[in-house]
Amino acid sequence: METRLINLYTLQLIDSHLDELEYFKGDLPQLVRELTEKVDNLKKRISEKEQEIKNLQLKSDEADLEMITLAEKIEKYKKQLFQVKTNKQYDALTIEIDNAEKNIEELTRQIVIYEGNIQNAKNDLESFKKELSELEEELGEKREELAKISKENEEEELMYKHKREKILVKISKADLALYEKIRKAKDGKAVVGIKKNSCGGCFNTVPIQKLVELRQNKKIFTCEQCGRILVSDFIVDESKKII
Ligand SMILES: [Zn+2]
């Protein structure tokens, strides 16, 4: 019976290690995926912002060019003013000059707005780029960590899987079925030690009489509260020696 209990607890230790390895693996890939997504989104926003700046710059340049053309026209009209022969021609030219000047005023106003927008877009771009470099750094670190853990895990996992196979052949089908059933229902922990006279799984106090019997290691005892298999310190220590 003692060996039977030791084997069950050893299996539990091995499975707990494998669970832990699985947990580490499960967490980092998720993190790397999330960070990659964030980086991709930010890159997209950066390229959109760059396009926005280009478009604004283009519009501002166009307005600039239009202003130059208008200024040239004004110069031309002003020269023509000296050559006109009728009042009607003079008035027509004056109206042209007025209109061109109004357009220049409007364009000047627009250029100020474009420049303000360009500056804002450039500020946004700068903060996006800063954020991107921080995210990329974090992503690089997490990727490295994951690669390292995966490699370390690989060796450890193989080792524990090998140990598991070796211990499985020593456990009866009935014991294994019981173990798997409890393990599935109780968050991976089917066999637990006694901690301060309580169940190591749910911390329910174990009656003294039961503790005395349990320490004789002659029978499979389960916790009245959670149903996990309870083992004595002796079984715990012996199992740890094996693993
Ligand atoms: Zn319990």
Side-chain angles (χ1 to χ4, degrees), residues 199 201-204 223 225-228 230:
C199 162
C202 71
F203 309 109
N204 190 50
C223 171
Q225 183 76 21
C226 68
R228 290 183 177 98
L230 294 168

Side-chain angles (χ1 to χ4, degrees), residues 111-157:
I111 288 172
V112 170
I113 293 171
Y114 287 142
E115 276 169 1
N117 288 344
I118 289 170
Q119 196 49 54
N120 287 343
K122 279 183 177 170
N123 291 345
D124 286 348
L125 185 64
E126 205 177 311
S127 75
F128 286 170
K129 282 183 174 171
K130 191 167 169 270
E131 202 184 327
L132 179 66
S133 87
E134 283 166 5
L135 277 177
E136 278 180 330
E137 194 180 326
E138 197 185 343
L139 177 61
E141 281 168 14
K142 294 294 170 202
R143 272 194 179 137
E144 216 171 284
E145 215 175 303
L146 178 62
K148 206 177 143 206
I149 284 176
S150 295
K151 199 173 173 294
E152 281 173 6
N153 275 6
E154 218 169 36
E155 289 165 22
E156 229 178 310
E157 204 181 310

